[in-house]
Amino acid sequence: MRDVSIIGIGQTPVLENWEKSLRHLAADAVLAAMHDASIDRADMLFVGNMLSGEIAGQEHLGTLVADFVGLRGIEAFKIEAACASGAAAVRMGYLAVAGGMADIVIAVGVEKMTDESGEVVTAGLALAADGDYEVPHGLSFVAINAMLMQRYMYEYGLERADFANFAINAHRNAAGNPNARFHNQITAEQFINAPTICAPISLMDSSPIGDGAAAVVLCPTEQARAFSSKSVRIVGSAVATDSIALHDRKNPLRLLAAEQSAYKAYRQAGIGPQAIDFFEYHDAFTIMAALSLEASGFAEPGQGTRLAREGEIFLDGRLPTATMGGLKGRGHPVGATGVYQIVEAAMQLRGECGPNQLPAPRFGMTQNIGGSGATIITHILRAEE
Amino acid sequence: MRDVSIIGIGQTPVLENWEKSLRHLAADAVLAAMHDASIDRADMLFVGNMLSGEIAGQEHLGTLVADFVGLRGIEAFKIEAACASGAAAVRMGYLAVAGGMADIVIAVGVEKMTDESGEVVTAGLALAADGDYEVPHGLSFVAINAMLMQRYMYEYGLERADFANFAINAHRNAAGNPNARFHNQITAEQFINAPTICAPISLMDSSPIGDGAAAVVLCPTEQARAFSSKSVRIVGSAVATDSIALHDRKNPLRLLAAEQSAYKAYRQAGIGPQAIDFFEYHDAFTIMAALSLEASGFAEPGQGTRLAREGEIFLDGRLPTATMGGLKGRGHPVGATGVYQIVEAAMQLRGECGPNQLPAPRFGMTQNIGGSGATIITHILRAEE
């Protein structure tokens, strides 16, 4: 097994981008990553995407994007794992490079969601849940997360306000990220008074959808130096799944797949959670941020919100999270999100985060979640020494 | 790089199966393949599927299927490459095993298409084509193939009757396959008098959609004997892409991606086309069978129909094709088709094809085509000596 490095990164701003088609968005990110890596060829391309067929009227994205970026002919596929599709594409690239089946692989996550009505998007997102046993009973995706949040508050005696800092932190960090969807900071009062989407989840617990694409170029670490002086190592890459339906889990508040993928990634990297300098979690809803912190070993069960309440997750805290805004602030173009997380982690390790830059971080962790915790993909990146 | 073998195969009949959900179909095939391989665990699962979101109301198939077959927790993804999604799933499994990233991998192709109206299915299939430059002009998938067939007949001075034996052979072979959608044989007269779908393509040039699933279990060849006495080697596995839109190709009658993937597979296998004992081509339409034969080195340009006319493609011919009915006779549940082809090729090499069994074939080739030739995946299987 070969060590794998990221030698190029690229991203588009997350916004309502009605000017550009899906292929344009993907190409913007891929070409930026190829330019960053100083490459003009690749062996394989993996496209992470969830809803192109349902929303953008296009499947077959592998060949579509390969052709459009000037790589006609290469092996190329679309990978889907609901909201974890982005990290899934990176994971496929990692498998190919680590296994010696390819030398240069591009992974891009892309999603174009704002051309359609909210109804279509809500129905599309529900395809991540159980189509036979959850959706027919009227569960939307926010409803599933609302049940989790309600249960969490009940079990641990918490209030909505305990989640405020997840959103405040995300918005504050997004303000320093030119590619983020939101640049407005929010107050605890605004969080508390935000309109309810599905009780107890309010607008301020929820990440916005958006149009966007992010890409990375991977190659064997031993070849990385020839391409880039700014390469970043992938020292952990792990995937675990769980039941697709919430009701099939013994303890729905325990993200078993997060636990399994995080600890597998820790073992690969030869470190424990205490060595992680920052964490790009999957804060599609604030409850997911809390559960993710707990499952990944950063907090005891029920204590995830404490890290937020005590400011440990802020840029100057013990474990900075969502350092470029997270899903809540940067935005959540679902199939692209996992690659945005990895691109942002690489930027932190390369020292390119401007006002949000952490002081010389060494290990960054990303966690991309599909469904209500059914597919969870953890990557650990390390700065090149 | 490790050699890879198929140690288990499974499939469901292709039909209108309104009794079973997508996950049931997939599970039937996966559990049969696991039983065949004598395994009760796997490291990874890849699900090839094109239209589950659009037609079956479900994405996130990796975790859905993994959980339902009793493999909750393992790494699992959906792979999409239009009608080549099935072989794409096998290809991902091959990458993982050959590269040493996993020991036991299951690849399943599944599609459930008959619950929806023809209109929805036709719109779904068009997602394989260019959504910006082909579909908005009214091109359906059969229309794209009709343009190819028309051009082919014009260039080479052929008539519709020249394609008859592709369909006659497919129906004849399907009659000997209990899992095929069709069991009726057809005559040259029936072929000629079949109703036109989109001139010059008639009903008898066209493969039927259907519900179905097929699965294979892969492992390193060096471990294969421990699981199965009937293993089959994958000696060639190659993917190439082309422009997604037909109008972007210099010569639309040349399936460049078929040529590239076939010759890459030949090189891997250390053989040429003359060593192939039978060919499971992608006869979604008869024109695709002809183009595929030519691009893969079995006939000169314009001569693909000659192989059909002269009976070379029959079970007793020089190059038997569609030996279990092909897409035309067995049926074409799009995302499953590529795995059906590989399962059937493995059956031939294992000597399990009943009335359709070829006498001791050594090398079998499968070719799965996405779109109008935009993603083409070729596999060469070899009987274990």
Side-chain angles (χ1 to χ4, degrees):
Chain A
M1 205 179 109
R2 307 193 291 186
D3 288 333
V4 179
S5 289
I6 297 171
I7 55 170
I9 55 176
Q11 62 181 313
T12 73
V14 177
L15 32 75
E16 293 192 40
N17 196 332
W18 298 358
E19 311 284 310
K20 294 199 175 182
S21 69
L22 189 84
R23 79 183 79 187
H24 279 89
L25 287 174
D28 283 354
V30 169
L31 293 174
M34 290 177 71
H35 180 75
D36 185 48
S38 307
I39 59 161
D40 57 8
R41 62 169 193 88
D43 300 317
M44 293 182 192
L45 170 77
F46 294 102
V47 182
N49 171 274
M50 178 182 178
L51 295 170
S52 72
E54 295 83 2
I55 297 185
Q58 182 74 65
E59 290 287 356
H60 213 171
L61 302 191
T63 185
L64 180 85
V65 176
D67 185 22
F68 198 62
V69 300
L71 296 171
R72 188 184 293 182
I74 68 165
E75 179 165 359
F77 298 113
K78 166 176 164 174
I79 313 297
E80 191 274 331
C83 304
S85 300
V90 178
R91 169 69 180 165
M92 289 296 102
Y94 177 88
L95 280 182
V97 174
M101 303 300 291
D103 281 338
I104 300 184
V105 178
I106 299 169
V108 57
V110 60
E111 205 79 62
K112 188 158 168 55
M113 309 176 76
T114 71
D115 288 355
E116 274 289 358
S117 69
E119 251 170 62
V120 171
V121 173
T122 299
L125 290 171
L127 298 173
D130 193 314
D132 290 336
Y133 298 101
E134 289 185 321
V135 183
H137 297 285
L139 277 180
S140 66
F141 214 69
V142 58
I144 291 173
N145 280 274
M147 293 197 304
L148 279 173
M149 187 168 171
Q150 185 68 54
R151 180 83 193 166
Y152 186 90
M153 287 162 63
Y154 169 79
E155 285 285 347
Y156 301 119
L158 297 168
E159 297 174 5
R160 280 193 54 242
D162 291 305
F163 296 83
N165 273 351
F166 288 123
I168 290 168
N169 176 59
H171 274 264
R172 189 184 297 158
N173 296 348
N177 176 3
N179 292 309
R181 176 126 197 220
F182 293 144
H183 293 108
N184 62 312
Q185 303 216 17
I186 63 164
T187 63
E189 202 185 350
Q190 281 173 307
F191 180 88
I192 287 298
N193 296 327
T196 298
I197 304 288
C198 180
I201 286 183
S202 82
L203 189 64
M204 287 300 155
D205 291 293
S206 314
S207 59
I209 62 159
D211 306 330
V216 295
V217 180
L218 308 178
C219 89
T221 298
E222 60 189 20
Q223 299 172 27
R225 183 67 64 178
F227 293 103
S228 170
S229 58
K230 304 177 290 186
S231 68
V232 167
R233 272 189 213 216
I234 300 180
V235 292
S237 171
V239 183
T241 56
D242 201 338
S243 69
I244 190 164
L246 206 53
H247 58 247
D248 281 334
R249 300 183 200 152
K250 262 189 200 153
N251 177 0
L253 296 182
R254 186 175 169 196
L255 289 182
L256 214 55
E259 208 172 298
Q260 288 169 350
S261 72
Y263 279 86
K264 207 187 281 184
Y266 291 141
R267 273 198 306 279
Q268 284 173 14
I271 58 171
Q274 68 292 343
I276 299 296
D277 295 307
F278 65 97
F279 182 31
E280 299 300 336
Y281 52 37
H282 189 94
D283 55 332
F285 299 97
T286 51
I287 178 66
M288 272 295 143
L291 295 181
S292 190
L293 283 167
E294 295 168 14
S296 305
F298 298 116
E300 292 298 309
Q303 299 291 309
T305 49
R306 192 184 49 77
L307 293 193
R309 217 167 34 240
E310 297 177 359
E312 298 282 15
I313 63 168
F314 295 158
L315 286 183
D316 60 359
R318 191 171 55 84
L319 182 74
T321 64
T323 68
M324 297 301 275
L327 283 62
K328 175 74 186 96
R330 175 237 303 126
H332 183 26
V334 290
T337 289
V339 189
Y340 273 102
Q341 294 176 312
I342 290 169
V343 164
E344 290 160 357
M347 286 172 66
Q348 282 290 359
L349 298 171
R350 284 161 50 150
E352 298 173 346
C353 286
N356 293 12
Q357 182 60 47
L358 301 171
R362 191 152 172 256
F363 289 102
M365 185 158 115
T366 65
Q367 195 168 78
N368 194 195
I369 302 184
S372 56
T375 302
I376 305 194
I377 306 176
T378 304
H379 281 97
I380 299 177
L381 309 187
R382 198 188 81 193
E384 203 54 76
E385 262 111 44
Chain B
M1 203 178 110
R2 307 194 290 186
D3 289 334
V4 178
S5 289
I6 297 171
I7 55 170
I9 55 178
Q11 62 180 313
T12 72
V14 177
L15 34 74
E16 291 190 41
N17 197 330
W18 298 358
E19 311 284 310
K20 293 197 175 181
S21 69
L22 189 84
R23 79 184 78 187
H24 279 89
L25 287 174
D28 282 355
V30 169
L31 293 173
M34 291 177 71
H35 180 76
D36 186 48
S38 307
I39 60 160
D40 58 8
R41 60 167 196 91
D43 300 315
M44 295 183 192
L45 170 77
F46 294 103
V47 182
N49 171 273
M50 177 181 178
L51 294 170
S52 71
E54 294 84 0
I55 296 184
Q58 181 75 65
E59 290 287 357
H60 215 170
L61 301 191
T63 186
L64 178 86
V65 177
D67 185 22
F68 198 61
V69 300
L71 295 171
R72 187 183 294 183
I74 69 164
E75 180 166 358
F77 298 113
K78 165 177 165 176
I79 315 295
E80 190 273 333
C83 303
S85 300
V90 177
R91 169 68 181 166
M92 289 297 102
Y94 178 87
L95 280 182
V97 175
M101 303 300 290
D103 281 339
I104 300 183
V105 178
I106 299 170
V108 58
V110 61
E111 204 79 61
K112 187 156 167 59
M113 308 176 77
T114 71
D115 287 356
E116 273 290 359
S117 70
E119 251 171 62
V120 170
V121 173
T122 299
L125 291 172
L127 297 173
D130 192 315
D132 290 337
Y133 299 103
E134 290 186 319
V135 184
H137 297 285
L139 278 179
S140 67
F141 213 69
V142 57
I144 290 172
N145 281 273
M147 293 198 302
L148 279 173
M149 186 168 173
Q150 185 67 53
R151 179 84 192 166
Y152 186 89
M153 288 163 62
Y154 169 80
E155 286 285 348
Y156 301 119
L158 297 168
E159 295 174 5
R160 281 194 53 241
D162 291 304
F163 296 85
N165 272 351
F166 288 124
I168 290 169
N169 176 59
H171 275 264
R172 189 184 295 157
N173 295 348
N177 176 5
N179 292 309
R181 176 128 197 217
F182 293 142
H183 293 107
N184 62 312
Q185 304 216 14
I186 62 164
T187 63
E189 202 185 349
Q190 282 174 308
F191 180 87
I192 287 298
N193 296 326
T196 297
I197 304 290
C198 181
I201 287 182
S202 82
L203 189 64
M204 286 300 155
D205 291 293
S206 315
S207 60
I209 62 160
D211 305 331
V216 295
V217 180
L218 308 178
C219 88
T221 299
E222 61 189 18
Q223 299 173 27
R225 184 69 64 177
F227 293 104
S228 170
S229 58
K230 304 177 290 185
S231 68
V232 166
R233 270 189 215 216
I234 300 180
V235 291
S237 171
V239 184
T241 55
D242 201 339
S243 70
I244 190 164
L246 207 53
H247 58 247
D248 281 333
R249 299 181 203 156
K250 263 189 198 152
N251 177 0
L253 296 182
R254 186 175 169 195
L255 289 183
L256 213 54
E259 210 171 297
Q260 289 170 351
S261 74
Y263 279 86
K264 206 187 282 184
Y266 290 142
R267 272 197 305 279
Q268 285 173 14
I271 58 170
Q274 68 290 340
I276 299 297
D277 295 308
F278 65 98
F279 182 30
E280 299 300 337
Y281 52 36
H282 188 94
D283 55 332
F285 299 97
T286 51
I287 178 65
M288 272 293 143
L291 296 181
S292 190
L293 283 167
E294 295 169 15
S296 306
F298 298 116
E300 293 298 308
Q303 298 291 308
T305 50
R306 192 184 51 76
L307 294 192
R309 217 166 35 240
E310 297 177 358
E312 298 282 17
I313 63 168
F314 294 158
L315 287 182
D316 60 358
R318 189 170 56 83
L319 182 74
T321 65
T323 68
M324 296 302 274
L327 282 63
K328 175 73 186 98
R330 175 238 301 127
H332 183 26
V334 292
T337 289
V339 189
Y340 273 101
Q341 293 177 311
I342 290 169
V343 164
E344 290 160 358
M347 288 173 66
Q348 282 289 0
L349 297 171
R350 285 162 50 151
E352 297 173 350
C353 286
N356 294 11
Q357 181 61 46
L358 301 170
R362 192 153 171 254
F363 288 103
M365 185 158 115
T366 65
Q367 195 169 77
N368 194 196
I369 301 184
S372 55
T375 302
I376 304 193
I377 306 175
T378 305
H379 281 98
I380 299 176
L381 309 187
R382 198 188 81 194
E384 203 55 75
E385 262 112 45

